[in-house]
């Protein structure tokens, strides 16, 4: 199993393109999991991510403390 951690902050303008690209990947042997961490976003990032939950092996997490390393650490704790 491969886990991919993706952190985003106010990424509503780009997150759907990223998730669409992820949905086109070939599934590796053993499968994979995409952990998306919403890092204190104030836009509609959450709604855009949730639209993809049925199309990707996606786990959605929220890290309310702003900071990329905080968000990545939250994701790694779930990997």
């Amino acid at each position: 199993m491969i886990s991919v951690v993706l952190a985003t902050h106010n990424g509503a303008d780009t997150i759907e393109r990223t998730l669409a690209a992820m949905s086109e990947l070939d599934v590796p042997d053993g499968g994979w999991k995409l952990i998306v961490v919403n890092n204190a976003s104030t836009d509609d990032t959450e709604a855009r991510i949730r639209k993809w939950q049925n199309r990707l092996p996606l786990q959605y997490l929220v890290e309310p403390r702003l900071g990329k390393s905080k968000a990545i650490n939250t994701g790694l704790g779930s990997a």
Side-chain angles (χ1 to χ4, degrees):
M1 166 79 67
I2 295 173
S3 295
V4 176
V5 178
L6 172 66
T8 184
H9 170 72
N10 288 340
D13 290 342
T14 58
I15 194 68
E16 289 194 81
R17 284 191 306 262
T18 302
L19 297 176
M22 296 290 227
S23 74
E24 308 249 343
L25 295 173
D26 292 330
V27 176
D29 292 339
W32 74 296
K33 173 170 72 169
L34 176 61
I35 302 166
V36 180
V37 184
N38 184 346
N39 187 215
S41 294
T42 57
D43 61 3
D44 66 336
T45 296
E46 178 176 2
R48 293 179 187 224
I49 293 168
R50 290 204 180 271
K51 284 197 255 181
W52 287 88
Q53 282 188 304
N54 294 329
R55 294 182 262 179
L56 286 165
L58 191 149
Q59 180 178 1
Y60 176 74
L61 302 173
V62 175
E63 173 50 63
R65 299 170 298 160
L66 188 58
K68 184 174 182 176
S69 54
K70 288 178 177 64
I72 294 294
N73 287 334
T74 296
L76 289 174
S78 185

